[in-house]
Amino acid sequence: MPYKKRVYIPERFYHIVSRGNRRDPLFRNASDFQAFLHILTQLYEKYPFEIASYCLMNNHFHFQLRSSEVPISKLMALINKRYANYYNTKYRLTGHVFEKRFYDKRIEDKEGMLEVSRYIHLNPVEARMVKLAEYYPWSSYPYYKDKHSTVPCFMNVNYLLDYYEGTSTQKREKYCSSVSLN
């Protein structure tokens, strides 16, 4: 049975999830996480896109992503192919690194944007990998928590922060307090 054609709307954000084949690890150590983020930076320079939030887990990753110039399918194919090439070369493997197609769901409104970002940032907490989102090093949450952090070129933290009133510091505090299990 053929895949259902994906609907691409350039100005919309999508919740994207891509998982390792057989739920195998995608990231075995810090250098794998760093290589993946480097690939995002390289691709951003050629095909600009925006990520409002992300979380790289051991065997999958989440993006809250929008691409105004390149369809999401093409962008994800480039990201996954480049990372698969890196991974297979580094670990001397062949074959599939990713399980089937990536999951995507268009985010319709402000509430959806905030709900998806909260879900993404709390993923390592829910998985009991850390007690608080700020302790997980492979997500975008630290860019919201610390206004002095260096935000990667592909990140747009203001998209979510602008949903809140107040100064930059107040917006960050309000966003971060919304990302908690309480």
Side-chain angles (χ1 to χ4, degrees):
M1 183 158 105
Y3 285 120
K4 188 174 120 184
K5 187 167 171 41
R6 295 183 192 267
V7 177
Y8 164 64
I9 302 174
E11 64 276 3
R12 289 296 176 100
F13 275 89
Y14 289 77
H15 180 194
I16 307 289
V17 182
S18 196
R19 189 173 302 283
N21 198 26
R22 296 174 306 275
R23 296 182 184 243
D24 287 346
L26 287 174
F27 309 103
R28 296 185 185 187
N29 53 48
S31 65
D32 292 344
F33 288 105
Q34 291 162 347
F36 189 85
L37 294 171
H38 180 72
I39 288 167
L40 293 180
T41 300
Q42 285 181 319
L43 285 172
Y44 173 82
E45 291 168 6
K46 191 168 182 180
Y47 307 102
F49 57 90
E50 291 176 273
I51 292 180
S53 66
Y54 73 82
C55 187
L56 311 180
M57 300 292 282
N58 291 340
N59 69 352
H60 69 285
F61 63 83
H62 294 266
F63 291 155
Q64 193 171 10
L65 178 139
R66 154 170 88 176
S67 174
S68 57
E69 296 177 21
V70 178
I72 300 289
S73 293
K74 179 176 181 177
L75 185 60
M76 289 306 300
L78 290 166
I79 291 168
N80 286 357
K81 182 176 184 340
R82 283 197 187 180
Y83 187 73
N85 288 343
Y86 156 85
Y87 188 88
N88 279 340
T89 300
K90 180 177 179 181
Y91 295 108
R92 296 183 177 156
L93 299 170
T94 59
H96 296 282
V97 173
F98 292 96
E99 174 183 276
K100 52 187 170 184
R101 293 187 345 158
F102 65 91
Y103 163 87
D104 71 313
K105 183 174 184 190
R106 189 172 62 239
I107 305 169
E108 300 294 340
D109 53 23
K110 170 188 171 181
E111 290 75 23
M113 286 294 292
L114 294 173
E115 180 183 325
V116 168
S117 71
R118 182 177 191 275
Y119 175 83
I120 288 172
H121 286 143
L122 286 175
N123 216 252
V125 177
E126 293 286 351
R128 300 181 195 276
M129 297 169 78
V130 292
K131 290 226 182 268
L132 298 171
E134 63 200 76
Y135 298 154
Y136 192 72
W138 306 112
S139 87
S140 55
Y141 186 78
Y143 306 125
Y144 289 94
K145 186 80 173 160
D146 179 9
K147 70 178 179 179
H148 300 295
S149 60
T150 303
V151 179
C153 56
F154 53 81
M155 282 292 305
N156 180 354
V157 295
N158 291 323
Y159 196 91
L160 295 175
L161 293 177
D162 284 346
Y163 287 134
Y164 298 95
E165 299 289 325
T167 65
S168 174
T169 301
Q170 290 169 330
K171 289 178 178 185
R172 287 175 187 281
E173 287 170 357
K174 289 174 184 177
Y175 175 80
C176 291
S177 70
S178 76
V179 180
S180 67
L181 290 174
N182 299 334

